[in-house]
Amino acid sequence: MLATLTEDRFSDPDWIFERKLDGVRCLARRDRRGRVQLHSRNDKDMSGTYPEIAEALSAAVGSAGTDLVVDGEVVAFEGRRTSFERLQGRLGLTDPDEARATGIAVFYYVFDILHLDGHDVRRLPNLTRKRVLRDALTFDDPLRYVTHRRTAGEEAFRAACERGDEGVIAKRSAAPYTGGRSKDWLKFKCVRDQELVVGGWTNPRGSRSGFGALLVGYYDSDTLVYAGKVGTGFDGRLLHAVKDELDRLAADDSPFGRGRVTGKDVHWVRPELVAQIAFTEWTRDGRLRHPRFQGLRTDKAARDVVREQR
DNA sequence: TTCCGACAGTGGGGTCGCAAT
DNA sequence: ATTGCGACCCCACTATCGGAA
């Protein structure tokens, strides 16, 4: 069951609000003999990737039963914030010993239950399932129960962004657990945006026209620092309009003074265009995560574009 | 008729693993 | 030893089409 992104922030007595954690989605099954299997959203086996979670689940028998299927998020922390970047150090590993040897501590935040003691509980109301879940397991690290609040969705969202969380998930209290994306689960995502200077572009591929992505950066003193590519957020007309501007500014050499630009099929332009870019966060390597184009800005000089803090 | 949901296709950062260089 | 590539994770977004409203 997946959540639908929305711009609407609200409170409603028929909805509950949970923290949105930045990690990896994980479905866990435990059979009567205590054997546990962890599965990714694409049904890949992750039991070897997070052996301590499988172990904990095997031992965490609550008051209400033994075999079960639960849903949650595997996360790693960087300070107080959940960090997908840190978790990535374990993502590809399938050998339990190697996974443990990374030293990256992981936690399993469980927020839903699908089956318990041979019963399919997916059609029970969400709030009821949460109560069932609470009794079905014992929650000791690395297992954690995802708490919820029933009021002040807007305030929860504001506080989440303030804390550096990814956002808030709103869930309809009475909703069953269904397959696929549902409007009974909504994502309030914290968004960041800033202006960036366009310094180049890449070739389009396949059926794409105009260009593939823009190469963008910001000024640090007199140096234009590369900050990554932006390849989504354009419709057909915008692709051509922006491409015309790029052709007008064509240059032979890279304007970037810092940051290695990877990939072939790269073309440079004089750094004069300023684009408004939305994204989720800066990566450790100083790149934009989940970048998307929001428009060109004509009211700001390229030379004044700097990296905004945080 | 209009709107919505699902899908395919394009684009991003980052990591690991493996083959080619 | 280095580089390139695909397969995974996390996505955002546009275009399209068929069925629901």
Side-chain angles (χ1 to χ4, degrees), chain A residues 4-274:
Chain A
T4 303
L5 183 63
T6 179
E7 299 305 316
D8 191 25
R9 325 286 179 218
F10 62 84
S11 300
D12 188 311
D14 293 333
W15 290 69
I16 62 168
F17 305 94
E18 296 175 348
R19 287 176 72 182
K20 175 156 171 48
L21 301 160
D22 193 10
V24 175
R25 190 66 176 275
C26 177
L27 230 63
R29 296 165 203 284
R30 185 177 71 197
D31 68 17
R32 287 204 159 72
R33 302 161 76 167
R35 291 177 302 202
V36 172
Q37 275 194 312
L38 307 178
H39 291 279
S40 78
R41 219 160 68 174
N42 296 339
D43 218 31
K44 299 278 179 255
D45 186 88
M46 304 195 297
S47 313
T49 313
Y50 310 109
E52 63 271 59
I53 289 174
E55 242 168 50
L57 272 169
S58 184
V61 180
S63 56
T66 52
D67 65 297
L68 46 73
V69 178
V70 294
D71 192 359
E73 189 93 356
V74 174
V75 304
F77 280 91
E78 188 79 65
R80 298 184 61 81
R81 300 184 53 197
T82 56
S83 169
F84 181 75
E85 199 151 20
R86 190 155 154 70
L87 185 62
Q88 272 182 305
R90 291 186 66 155
L91 283 191
L93 306 176
T94 51
D95 178 66
D97 296 330
E98 262 180 66
R100 281 197 168 94
T102 59
I104 299 167
V106 292
F107 300 87
Y108 186 36
Y109 279 81
V110 189
F111 50 69
D112 215 324
I113 185 162
L114 289 68
H115 295 269
L116 178 65
D117 272 336
H119 296 103
D120 184 345
V121 297
R122 287 178 294 182
R123 300 187 63 171
L124 294 176
N126 193 4
L127 268 178
T128 307
R129 291 199 310 275
K130 292 212 69 160
R131 211 168 54 231
V132 170
L133 168 63
R134 228 186 185 325
D135 292 336
L137 290 172
T138 50
F139 291 93
D140 300 304
D141 283 349
L143 303 182
R144 293 182 178 178
Y145 174 78
V146 177
T147 58
H148 58 271
R149 55 190 292 179
R150 308 181 65 161
T151 57
E154 301 93 333
E155 163 62 18
F157 175 69
R158 198 196 55 71
C161 299
E162 189 99 340
R163 269 200 309 273
D165 277 1
E166 213 194 351
V168 164
I169 299 281
K171 297 181 176 177
R172 195 188 298 278
S173 310
Y177 189 102
T178 57
R181 206 166 289 280
S182 165
K183 293 223 159 161
D184 290 333
W185 287 11
L186 297 173
K187 268 187 282 195
F188 301 174
K189 282 199 80 173
C190 303
V191 177
R192 307 172 60 179
D193 55 66
Q194 75 155 76
E195 305 89 29
L196 289 156
V197 179
V198 180
W201 52 281
T202 59
N203 286 339
R205 289 191 300 217
S207 60
R208 175 79 161 224
S209 61
F211 58 91
L214 300 176
L215 312 177
V216 297
Y218 58 87
Y219 278 97
D220 179 13
S221 299
D222 291 328
T223 305
L224 186 61
V225 181
Y226 178 62
K229 299 176 197 170
V230 185
T232 192
F234 316 94
D235 58 21
R237 190 190 329 191
L238 207 43
L239 278 169
H240 286 107
V242 174
K243 180 59 162 48
D244 288 345
E245 295 289 310
L246 295 170
D247 288 341
R248 192 171 59 75
L249 295 168
D252 292 333
D253 301 310
S254 169
F256 297 107
R258 199 193 318 154
R260 184 155 163 266
V261 182
T262 54
K264 318 175 289 291
D265 304 333
V266 168
H267 309 270
W268 309 115
V269 296
R270 297 199 301 278
E272 293 177 22
L273 291 179
V274 177

